[in-house]
Amino acid sequence: MLNLERLRTLDALARHGSVSGAAGGLHVTTSAVSQQMAKLEREVGQPLLAKNGRGVRLTDAGRLLADHAARIISQVELAQADVEAQRGCAVGELRIGAFPTAMRGLLPRALGTLRAAHPELRAMVRESEPEESMAAVVRGDLDMALAIDWHNKRMPVPAELSRAHLLDDAADIAVPAGHPLAGRAEISLGDLADDDWISWNEGQFCHEWLVFTLRGIGVEPRIAHIAEEHHTQLAFVEAGLGVCVTPRLGRGPVPPGVRLLPAVDTVRRHVYVVWRTDAGRRPSVRAAVEALAEAAAAV
């Protein structure tokens, strides 16, 4: 009889491509991964891993069993969802990933609603970027995730996931109070072609969006500073170090030396929640989606 937890370990190895990656995804030590794989190899009676330089790779038998493991795990999750749906109440643990502004602007209200309506449901939240969160939902490390894309640049959603739109989040352009255009009622991105920009971390979807958008209107952006948090970006704007795009969701107090100007052509993000399609019947997932929709309507 194959052990399910060992199959989960093999599945994590196949997805992450390394012992350390599997350990991180499973939130265990690399030693625990190695021990589980050694036991699984004894169970099947043949090697599943082979040395590959300083790492390891799956053998043919390992890849074959990993394919079966992925299907078995999916069926187990579907069975768990069916049992929970049959019971008809939202209980147990629900793991949610969310980007920073959703953590501030949506989740406090949504989690409060969930706690009041479903006291036996324990929601656990992890702050992470949308790409990371969605990948974690696909892997099964998270049950659902809040994600974003932009009006002119969509983020691909893996085929295994379902999604529900929550809200459209308008963004403003932040300029220093002493900027020559600070007195305008609205502004276009092209008006700031000669300004330095403060952007998100390179490689993040929002950074790629900013570069893509500016180049789309014929502006080669001068990215002068990189800061992940919006309040840090606004501090740099107040110091006269550049301009930035700042969404309204979860926005904190604006420094007195910053002017927020609406964009002539509205700049907006689409905020949505994703979950594994095979978990869509779980009452806890449905309850969380409803609570998030209610919180979004109140924004």
Side-chain angles (χ1 to χ4, degrees):
M1 181 71 69
L2 294 174
N3 179 281
L4 180 59
E5 289 309 308
R6 288 167 200 152
L7 290 178
R8 288 189 189 277
T9 302
L10 176 62
D11 177 63
L13 265 169
R15 288 186 283 102
H16 292 281
S18 68
V19 172
S20 59
L26 295 170
H27 306 291
V28 299
T29 64
T30 55
S31 174
V33 170
S34 299
Q35 290 172 16
Q36 289 284 63
M37 289 305 303
K39 291 177 181 178
L40 186 57
E41 287 181 328
R42 289 197 294 271
E43 287 178 350
V44 301
Q46 55 185 311
L48 301 175
L49 297 178
K51 289 186 177 180
N52 184 31
R54 302 176 72 176
V56 296
R57 61 173 176 81
L58 293 177
T59 63
D60 289 344
R63 286 194 296 271
L64 177 64
L65 187 56
D67 289 341
H68 284 291
R71 290 193 293 272
I72 291 168
I73 292 167
S74 179
Q75 280 299 118
V76 169
E77 291 175 351
L78 186 58
Q80 291 173 333
D82 282 345
V83 169
E84 187 177 328
Q86 194 276 335
R87 185 166 45 178
C89 53
V91 298
E93 181 178 283
L94 188 70
R95 300 159 300 170
I96 305 172
F99 56 95
T101 50
M103 289 281 285
R104 295 193 298 271
L106 277 179
L107 278 173
R109 180 187 293 266
L111 294 182
T113 298
L114 270 180
R115 174 175 288 184
H118 307 282
E120 295 185 53
L121 178 63
R122 299 185 308 279
M124 301 177 65
V125 180
R126 184 175 82 191
E127 184 176 303
S128 56
E129 290 302 311
E131 307 98 314
E132 179 186 343
S133 290
M134 281 202 287
V137 175
V138 171
R139 294 194 304 267
D141 298 336
L142 292 174
D143 297 303
M144 58 198 317
L146 289 162
I148 52 169
D149 54 29
W150 293 82
H151 67 287
N152 60 336
K153 186 175 177 63
R154 307 308 295 264
M155 179 180 290
V157 175
E160 302 96 323
L161 303 184
S162 295
R163 63 185 284 174
H165 177 264
L166 295 175
L167 61 93
D168 286 343
D169 178 32
D172 299 310
I173 314 301
V175 302
H179 193 282
L181 304 180
R184 285 195 179 184
E186 57 183 12
I187 198 170
S188 72
L189 293 174
D191 292 332
L192 301 169
D194 296 326
D195 283 82
D196 289 336
W197 284 88
I198 301 156
S199 182
W200 298 267
N201 287 339
E202 293 182 24
Q204 286 187 4
F205 186 76
C206 289
H207 174 84
E208 293 175 357
W209 164 80
L210 180 63
V211 173
F212 168 84
T213 301
L214 290 172
R215 286 176 177 168
I217 58 174
V219 175
E220 184 58 35
R222 296 205 311 262
I223 307 296
H225 305 286
I226 297 291
E228 185 168 354
E229 290 289 342
H230 291 119
H231 59 266
T232 305
Q233 295 181 2
L234 292 177
F236 274 63
V237 172
E238 184 179 37
L241 300 174
V243 299
C244 74
V245 174
T246 179
R248 296 177 185 175
L249 178 65
R251 181 188 291 165
V254 178
V258 173
R259 296 292 177 268
L260 298 182
L261 306 176
V264 173
D265 299 316
T266 303
V267 177
R268 64 186 183 278
R269 306 186 301 178
H270 306 296
V271 181
Y272 52 95
V273 58
V274 300
W275 62 92
R276 284 181 65 95
T277 300
D278 56 17
R281 283 175 281 186
R282 291 176 57 190
S284 56
V285 170
R286 295 201 304 268
V289 172
E290 291 172 3
L292 286 164
E294 180 181 321
V299 170

